Amino acid sequence: MRMQKQTETTELINTKRNFKWDEPTVKSIIRDMGLKVTQQRMIILKCLLSGRDHITAQELFEAVIKKDPSLGFATVYRFLKQLTEQDLVTEVRMGGLPARYEWAKKKKHHDHLTCKQCGAICEFENQQIELLQKQIAKNFGYILTGHILELYGLCPSCQKEEGLLPIGDT
Amino acid sequence: MRMQKQTETTELINTKRNFKWDEPTVKSIIRDMGLKVTQQRMIILKCLLSGRDHITAQELFEAVIKKDPSLGFATVYRFLKQLTEQDLVTEVRMGGLPARYEWAKKKKHHDHLTCKQCGAICEFENQQIELLQKQIAKNFGYILTGHILELYGLCPSCQKEEGLLPIGDT
DNA sequence: AGGTAAATGAGAATCATTTTTATTTAGATT
DNA sequence: AATCTAAATAAAAATGATTCTCATTTACCT
Ligand SMILES: [Mn+2]
Ligand SMILES: [Mn+2]
Ligand SMILES: [Zn+2]
Ligand SMILES: [Zn+2]
């Protein structure tokens, strides 16, 4: 979660939460999905909306059981899947690691640059790359329906503290 | 596995097997890895080298037990991991699906364009994208160490036969 | 041929995710 | 407000890919 200057075509993504997630708003998100408004869904959604970006199902579950220890993790997975299917959250999968989720609504498409050392994630979008991808698909006669672009590297602070820290968060 | 015209900066990758994988060659690959030359490693490697690209561990295992039904799948996984660690094979992971492996030696870096419908895979490399990736990382102050770029779409033949065929191979 | 570290097979373990099932509940309908 | 029913839940088992453990076997250096 560190940002710096950018080329004209690469833009940073607003990671801010500039909408109010009050009770009625959260309720109507669930209702608009065509689902019943349950206490567990309210809790899960609130935790998702107010928690960190790129959260894992496990992390979300841990946040959720602080509010209701009886809530099951299958419910978290189930609801996350529904949110993903309805494109309200984006599922980010890197390698064999657990999937990470982020609220997609009101946040445009973007890709990720992740620090291998500490896990810090930068979000970006580069129009030139997006365009080149379309051209490549076209050259092969394909209709492009999606893509995954994940960059991996060493973040500035991990470059200094060369080598020996635990894999942490954001 | 379908190829068409390309822009100057996007090149197709040779998917041909233009080297001879005779007994002594296969043996020395294993020996050069600093490993003992066992019958199971010979079999696994031969199957890998002569089989399809982007093979899964399971598929490789199935090919392997045709030559030696007693060979265990842990041995396949183990050896694949060692090959991956020594950069002799590349591990391609997409989403939560099983990893796929391909012989990396004598084949330059490339990315993949996969048909969502039938699984057909095109390989490409685009120098412009590679360059842009480096710039993006640099703009964030990161040192780029790797990337995953996977494009998804509908291949030409699946565009015709709209919709209803089983998920096949390559 | 003998010694030993490395390799193997079989199966258990792990880890993320999904499915199953019996029970509860939201919300529509009296 | 009481009743109904499809949908939702918790808990636990199942799944599927991959890794690990460990007792046994084997490659290869003397
Ligand atoms: Mn993101
Ligand atoms: Mn490939
Ligand atoms: Zn870092
Ligand atoms: Zn296809």
Side-chain angles (χ1 to χ4, degrees):
Chain A
M1 195 82 38
R2 182 164 290 94
M3 27 196 73
Q4 222 141 302
K5 61 177 142 36
Q6 59 209 274
T7 70
E8 316 79 44
T9 49
T10 304
E11 16 173 332
L12 291 159
I13 305 301
N14 77 314
T15 183
K16 308 281 185 293
R17 293 276 149 43
N18 27 17
F19 297 96
K20 36 197 181 309
W21 305 114
D22 48 13
E23 204 87 358
T25 305
V26 172
K27 263 198 177 93
S28 63
I29 290 173
I30 300 171
R31 200 174 293 113
D32 291 352
M33 290 175 73
L35 301 174
K36 290 186 178 176
V37 178
T38 63
Q39 264 316 301
Q40 21 279 78
R41 281 175 179 156
M42 293 284 287
I43 290 171
I44 294 168
L45 192 43
K46 279 183 198 165
C47 285
L48 182 63
L49 290 168
S50 63
R52 59 166 285 196
D53 260 7
H54 311 113
I55 198 169
T56 63
Q58 189 58 44
E59 287 165 353
L60 182 55
F61 172 64
E62 275 154 25
V64 146
I65 53 175
K66 281 178 189 159
K67 303 214 180 164
D68 177 356
S70 72
L71 209 157
F73 69 112
T75 305
V76 173
Y77 271 106
R78 237 178 336 228
F79 191 35
L80 273 178
K81 207 198 215 180
Q82 293 167 316
L83 286 161
T84 302
E85 282 162 358
Q86 307 214 11
D87 292 317
L88 290 176
V89 308
T90 306
E91 198 186 37
V92 185
R93 280 174 182 268
M94 354 202 244
L97 286 73
R100 293 185 172 271
Y101 301 85
E102 64 182 324
W103 190 242
K105 210 67 180 307
K106 302 294 174 214
K107 200 172 182 185
K108 59 170 56 145
H109 162 74
H110 60 268
D111 300 300
H112 298 115
L113 166 59
T114 306
C115 177
K116 282 267 192 184
Q117 194 80 80
C118 71
I121 296 177
C122 293
E123 303 182 319
F124 67 89
E125 190 190 32
N126 185 289
Q127 280 309 137
Q128 248 182 95
I129 291 183
E130 301 284 325
L131 185 63
L132 285 165
Q133 289 176 356
K134 280 190 201 106
Q135 286 174 358
I136 290 164
K138 200 171 149 202
N139 288 344
F140 282 101
Y142 277 54
I143 294 170
L144 191 67
T145 60
H147 73 261
I148 295 174
L149 174 58
E150 303 284 345
L151 306 185
Y152 299 100
L154 256 192
C155 79
S157 59
C158 287
Q159 287 170 42
K160 294 172 211 154
E161 312 154 20
E162 272 298 48
L164 21 120
L165 34 171
I167 191 110
D169 92 337
T170 294
Chain B
M1 194 84 36
R2 183 164 290 95
M3 25 195 76
Q4 223 140 302
K5 62 177 141 37
Q6 58 209 275
T7 69
E8 315 78 46
T9 48
T10 303
E11 18 175 327
L12 291 158
I13 305 302
N14 77 314
T15 182
K16 309 281 186 295
R17 291 276 150 43
N18 28 16
F19 297 95
K20 44 212 169 298
W21 305 114
D22 49 13
E23 203 87 357
T25 306
V26 172
K27 265 198 175 94
S28 63
I29 290 173
I30 300 172
R31 200 172 294 114
D32 291 351
M33 291 174 73
L35 301 174
K36 290 185 176 175
V37 178
T38 65
Q39 265 315 301
Q40 21 281 73
R41 280 174 179 157
M42 294 283 288
I43 291 171
I44 294 168
L45 193 42
K46 280 184 198 166
C47 285
L48 182 64
L49 290 168
S50 62
R52 58 165 287 196
D53 259 6
H54 312 112
I55 198 168
T56 62
Q58 188 58 43
E59 286 164 353
L60 182 55
F61 172 65
E62 275 154 24
V64 146
I65 54 175
K66 281 178 190 159
K67 302 215 181 160
D68 177 357
S70 73
L71 209 156
F73 70 112
T75 305
V76 174
Y77 270 107
R78 238 179 332 230
F79 191 34
L80 273 178
K81 207 198 215 180
Q82 292 167 317
L83 287 161
T84 303
E85 281 162 358
Q86 307 214 11
D87 292 317
L88 290 176
V89 308
T90 306
E91 198 186 37
V92 185
R93 279 172 182 269
M94 354 202 244
L97 286 75
R100 295 186 171 271
Y101 300 86
E102 63 183 323
W103 190 244
K105 209 67 181 306
K106 302 294 175 215
K107 201 174 185 184
K108 59 170 58 147
H109 161 75
H110 61 269
D111 300 299
H112 298 114
L113 167 59
T114 306
C115 177
K116 282 268 193 185
Q117 194 81 79
C118 70
I121 297 177
C122 292
E123 303 183 320
F124 67 89
E125 190 190 34
N126 184 288
Q127 279 312 135
Q128 247 182 96
I129 290 183
E130 301 285 324
L131 185 63
L132 286 164
Q133 289 176 356
K134 279 190 201 107
Q135 286 174 357
I136 291 164
K138 199 170 148 203
N139 289 345
F140 282 101
Y142 277 54
I143 293 171
L144 192 65
T145 59
H147 73 261
I148 295 174
L149 174 58
E150 304 282 345
L151 305 184
Y152 298 100
L154 256 192
C155 79
S157 58
C158 286
Q159 287 171 43
K160 294 173 209 152
E161 312 154 19
E162 272 300 47
L164 21 118
L165 32 171
I167 190 109
D169 93 335
T170 298

